[in-house]
Amino acid sequence: MRFWPSRFRRGPKTKNGRDRAWKRFVHQELTGYSPIMTGDRVLAFFLLATLILIPLGAAILAASLGVVEYKARYDNLGALNGTSKAEQQSVLWNNQDGGVVQSVTITTTKHMKAPVYVYYELQSFYQNHKRYVRSLVSAQLGGKNKAPNTLGTCAPQQYVNDMQNAVDPRNGQSLSDGAAVDPCGLMPYSYFNDSYVMSQQQPGGALTVVDLDETNIAWASDKNSLYGHYKPTNFNEIPQFRGGGTINSSYTYVNDDEHFLVWMRPGAARTVRKLYARINSDIPAGTTIYATVNNRYNTYNFGGRKLIVLSTHSWVGGHNNALGGIMLTIGGLAFLTAIIFFCLYHLNKHRRSYADASRLSWNRTNLVN
């Protein structure tokens, strides 16, 4: 019976010291480093943590505070204002592809330096749900022609309307490929399909159209490697069976629709924010931004909210004070701990010195017999 993996078994004696190394290992004679944590070393460690965390946290927090961000909710505006969730959902369904046109106004109070990023934000969406993020087939998204019967993880969106060999209700004809969906799964099925058009009016100026740059918004690795260069099949084409948007008709292949690639990177929290476009010109303070939203995406069934966000960036990304605040807090606690160690170790007259043999019981003269 072998008790050790083959790489640990003792081999024949060799000149390179293999047998000697094995003996040192089994007899636990390998060299090691075990630092002795004296008071000065602990004090130095906390001071080093303070010197690293406080300046870095202050720099990150300052960069985050320098980000200019504006957001506005739009899912409850216009004809959808003051109605119940069921009524809002009914209005959206009745309009089908047309959606509900809504207007959002944002007035800037600070100068926004280009590029200005346009995001859409979904609240209470939970895109990180385990069942949701697993409902896709990576090989299929990569362009490999997978047989429909091997796409079980996509259910209930493996076939159109979850029915094999389903029929198109618009013309009564059978759908191609036995009604198999490509790309399949809940993530592609729920593809966000609201759209935005913007104009702006600077103080004392005329109303001008804002050019939204929707190119290069997806990761280059997603566009060139992760997603295949193929045409979608039966993907959200029938309005009454549709769960979200379809691949843009102006694009021929899946990896050409960058909005779809952005959507397919799931958010890590209950609030999902996705990049929609960039504005490659400065927006002066006092400018009024008018956004016309084509509201098609249904979040009313689960009480989700939809917002449009305008934001600048810094060297640490967007507006997020948490990271800098956490680093400052930990750095401050480390500095406070260093002060406590200094007082206890250097200002305490009754402290014990390190490795003081006089503290041993047989060396003490004041023992009680």
Side-chain angles (χ1 to χ4, degrees), residues 53 70 126 137 282 294 322 359-360 363:
L53 292 176
Y70 300 97
Y126 297 97
V137 176
D282 290 2
N294 201 332
R359 306 299 299 182
L360 298 174
N363 291 331

Side-chain angles (χ1 to χ4, degrees), residues 99-294:
V100 179
V101 178
Q102 297 169 306
S103 297
V104 180
T105 302
I106 298 175
T107 302
T108 62
T109 57
K110 296 181 180 180
H111 182 85
M112 304 185 75
K113 187 176 180 180
V116 178
Y117 295 88
V118 181
Y119 299 91
Y120 58 87
E121 182 174 296
L122 304 178
Q123 297 181 354
S124 301
F125 190 79
Y126 297 97
Q127 201 184 20
N128 59 346
H129 192 282
K130 181 180 179 180
R131 177 69 179 87
Y132 181 83
V133 297
R134 294 181 63 182
S135 185
L136 53 82
V137 176
S138 299
Q140 185 194 53
L141 290 169
K144 296 181 180 179
N145 188 14
K146 304 290 289 184
N149 58 1
T150 64
L151 307 177
T153 57
C154 288
Q157 297 305 324
Q158 183 177 359
Y159 300 97
V160 175
N161 199 29
D162 199 23
M163 294 178 57
Q164 190 173 2
N165 300 316
V167 176
D168 190 338
R170 297 171 297 183
N171 51 30
Q173 297 181 359
S174 298
L175 295 170
S176 60
D177 296 333
V181 179
D182 187 1
C184 67
L186 291 173
M187 283 194 68
Y189 175 73
S190 59
Y191 173 33
F192 185 81
N193 60 340
D194 285 2
S195 58
Y196 310 95
V197 176
M198 292 186 180
S199 57
Q200 65 176 355
Q201 186 173 18
Q202 299 181 8
L207 186 67
T208 57
V209 177
V210 176
D211 183 20
L212 296 180
D213 183 4
E214 301 177 30
T215 62
N216 298 320
I217 59 174
W219 290 20
S221 59
D222 290 356
K223 184 176 178 64
N224 300 327
S225 303
L226 188 60
Y227 293 89
H229 197 63
Y230 71 97
K231 297 180 180 180
T233 305
N234 299 325
F235 178 63
N236 278 344
E237 294 178 353
I238 303 175
Q240 53 263 53
F241 300 150
R242 183 177 298 170
T246 187
I247 300 296
N248 195 316
S249 59
S250 61
Y251 305 122
T252 306
Y253 302 100
V254 169
N255 65 340
D256 288 335
D257 191 342
E258 295 193 42
H259 288 294
F260 177 73
L261 305 188
V262 170
W263 174 256
M264 291 299 292
R265 282 204 166 269
R270 66 191 294 269
T271 297
V272 177
R273 179 179 290 190
K274 305 280 188 178
L275 179 61
Y276 184 83
R278 289 185 307 275
I279 301 174
N280 295 320
S281 58
D282 290 2
I283 300 178
T287 301
T288 301
I289 303 292
Y290 301 97
T292 301
V293 182
N294 201 332

Side-chain angles (χ1 to χ4, degrees), residues 34 53 67 78 81 87 95 131 141 143 156-157 162-163 165 169 206 211 229 286-287 291 299 307 345 362 366 368:
S34 180
L53 292 176
V67 172
N81 186 25
E87 292 171 333
N95 286 274
R131 177 69 179 87
L141 290 169
Q157 297 305 324
D162 199 23
M163 294 178 57
N165 300 316
D211 183 20
H229 197 63
T287 301
T299 58
L307 299 90
Y345 195 74
W362 55 83
N366 58 346
V368 179

